[in-house]
Amino acid sequence: MTIALIVKNGTIVSSEAMYRADVAIADGTFVAMGEPGALQVQADETYDAAGLYVLPGVIDGHVHFRDPGLEYKEDFGSGSRAAVMGGVTTVIDMPNTLPTTSTPELVDQKRLIAESKSYCDFGLLGLVVQENVDQLVPMARAGVVGYKCFLGETIGNIPAPDDGMLLDAFRQVKAAGLRIGFHAENNQIMQHLMRKLKAAGRTDPLAHVEARPALAEVEAIQRMGLFAKHIGTRIHIFHLSSRDGLEMIDEWRAKGVDLTCETGPHYCFLSADDMRTLGAMLRMNPPVREPGHGEALFQGLVDGRVNGIATDHSPHTRAEKMHDDIWQAISGFAGVETSVRLFLTYGVNAGRMSLPQYARAASEGPARTWGLYPRKGTIQVGSDADLTILDLRKTGVIDAARMHGKNNHNPFEGHRTTGEAVATVVRGQIVMRNGELIGQPRGRMVRPQAASPVAAAV
Ligand SMILES: [Zn+2]
């Protein structure tokens, strides 16, 4: 067997343990592991990871690469370049593109676009709307890893299905053997508060936070948990933003619902107080909340109740984003390139999170949520050879001017970081090394593992 790459002398990190080992890679998968120096193989290329930590490739469970249709904000080439430069090897791309990812033909279309230019691997989600419930099983055959439904108004103005249709969708998702995730905000509560705040003349950043209270999130989680309990469908909550939401998730899990969730760096490390200084730059749906929620969400990542880190990378142009009137500012900002640095800085190096806990939240958790484990999310023989290699001592400053997406402005600008990815390996190819993009765009769509009877049958 020809060994393409051997990663030597590093410390391997899994969700359970850390240990010194060498890892051999051939044909894009791990083929052998052994104690340092024990693998007697000739490799085309050797990476010396002495002093470094070798994690299963980081999976960002929530990105908007805007392709097709909104390429002026981002495209799969630029978004995936930012991803690998930040240490991310796989992304889950959201379906609110133009056109939306809502039929098997549109899944194929997005797959071909992405495979022509993506530096990282990617999973696609199918959109669920009032009109396309008959398309959900066919989309599973086309290879989606799951589905997304918007319960409240957000970017793209995609209306939620009515509850009757949503229950039909739950049955189809169950038949497909996949998971459906929700943008969980009660629309009526938000619309009502928005009208009131606007009528009162409020245009300040905090008005956005007040218009979308935690209760709107909790209510949506409660209702989707109820549907999931009755139909037996696996569900997911995107971008969890509140302690109250996490408590509601605990309640449904205790009643037997298979419910996963994710949160992002801005919810963990920023708060409504930062809205006062950052204003429109920090506008996001759902909003960052009062101090206290972030600690609870971060603790959820530490103890595993929050399954994964997902950035909701959602770039817009500066003109779309920056307005003095908060209602005119669009929600979202870049995140895929900075998440590893932020969690190493404010989590691992701050002593609040161990590296195995980080590996679970950043890689294994998202892989399990979307049915990709153990092909992704772990370093073991037979798995895809995706690695994020970390130097915990490397320092830097978050600087949009030196980032690699199309619109890199983000609310963490100027933060000093300690710890970052120094190499990104995607199925055996070193794509990023020491801050240089050295690989080719050979990213491929990843399909769910056998958990899905429909996907397994094709
Ligand atoms: Zn999103």
Side-chain angles (χ1 to χ4, degrees), residues 192-204 207 210 327:
H192 177 77
L193 290 173
M194 250 181 265
R195 276 192 298 274
K196 275 173 80 170
L197 288 157
K198 285 180 186 173
R202 292 278 301 275
T203 58
D204 59 294
E210 289 174 40
W327 309 117

Side-chain angles (χ1 to χ4, degrees), residues 194-230:
M194 250 181 265
R195 276 192 298 274
K196 275 173 80 170
L197 288 157
K198 285 180 186 173
R202 292 278 301 275
T203 58
D204 59 294
L206 268 296
H208 173 67
V209 179
E210 289 174 40
R212 308 175 88 109
L215 182 59
E217 180 172 78
V218 180
E219 192 282 335
I221 296 170
Q222 172 186 248
R223 209 155 48 88
M224 293 309 104
L226 183 69
F227 289 1
K229 169 82 178 155
H230 279 258

Side-chain angles (χ1 to χ4, degrees), residues 82-295:
V84 298
M85 294 305 285
V88 172
T89 60
T90 300
V91 296
I92 307 296
D93 188 60
M94 295 297 128
N96 55 335
T97 39
L98 281 179
T100 58
T101 315
S102 52
T103 69
E105 293 75 24
L106 293 169
V107 172
D108 286 341
Q109 184 194 91
K110 184 183 271 191
R111 174 175 60 79
L112 292 171
I113 290 168
E115 287 186 341
S116 73
K117 51 186 154 177
S118 184
Y119 288 92
C120 61
D121 281 354
F122 57 91
L124 300 182
L125 293 176
L127 184 69
V128 177
V129 287
Q130 183 75 11
E131 300 78 19
N132 81 331
V133 170
D134 61 339
Q135 300 295 307
L136 303 189
V137 168
M139 280 198 283
R141 292 199 189 95
V144 297
V145 296
Y147 305 91
K148 179 165 189 179
C149 180
F150 293 86
L151 296 176
E153 179 211 86
T154 188
I155 308 308
N157 293 320
I158 295 166
D162 65 49
D163 284 354
M165 194 60 87
L166 200 46
L167 287 170
D168 281 352
F170 269 64
R171 292 187 188 94
Q172 293 300 307
V173 171
K174 185 184 179 188
L178 296 177
R179 186 182 294 278
I180 179 169
F182 295 94
H183 181 119
E185 287 187 292
N186 178 304
N187 207 38
Q188 294 180 9
I189 293 173
M190 296 191 300
Q191 297 299 336
H192 177 77
L193 290 173
M194 250 181 265
R195 276 192 298 274
K196 275 173 80 170
L197 288 157
K198 285 180 186 173
R202 292 278 301 275
T203 58
D204 59 294
L206 268 296
H208 173 67
V209 179
E210 289 174 40
R212 308 175 88 109
L215 182 59
E217 180 172 78
V218 180
E219 192 282 335
I221 296 170
Q222 172 186 248
R223 209 155 48 88
M224 293 309 104
L226 183 69
F227 289 1
K229 169 82 178 155
H230 279 258
I231 310 289
T233 307
R234 295 187 288 153
I235 63 171
H236 178 77
I237 302 301
F238 292 112
H239 42 55
L240 184 69
S241 66
S242 68
R243 177 181 47 218
D244 313 73
L246 183 53
E247 287 168 1
M248 181 55 69
I249 287 170
D250 287 338
E251 288 188 33
W252 281 120
R253 285 175 174 159
K255 292 177 182 170
V257 175
D258 183 338
L259 206 176
T260 55
C261 64
E262 63 184 38
T263 193
H266 43 288
Y267 298 118
C268 290
F269 306 130
L270 299 174
S271 76
D273 288 348
D274 297 297
M275 277 303 271
R276 291 174 217 278
T277 48
L278 293 170
M281 178 55 69
L282 184 52
R283 186 181 155 161
M284 184 58 110
N285 302 335
V288 295
R289 303 199 180 280
E290 304 71 42
H293 290 277
E295 287 75 8

Side-chain angles (χ1 to χ4, degrees), residues 62 64 94 148 239 312 314:
H62 192 140
H64 298 263
M94 295 297 128
K148 179 165 189 179
H239 42 55
D312 200 357
S314 41

Side-chain angles (χ1 to χ4, degrees), residues 302-336:
V302 169
D303 65 30
R305 287 152 66 224
V306 178
N307 302 78
I309 296 166
T311 65
D312 200 357
H313 177 83
S314 41
H316 300 286
T317 65
R318 224 179 160 85
E320 290 173 311
K321 203 137 176 71
M322 298 314 285
H323 282 274
D324 291 335
D325 176 348
I326 196 65
W327 309 117
Q328 301 299 317
I330 199 164
S331 287
F333 43 76
V336 72

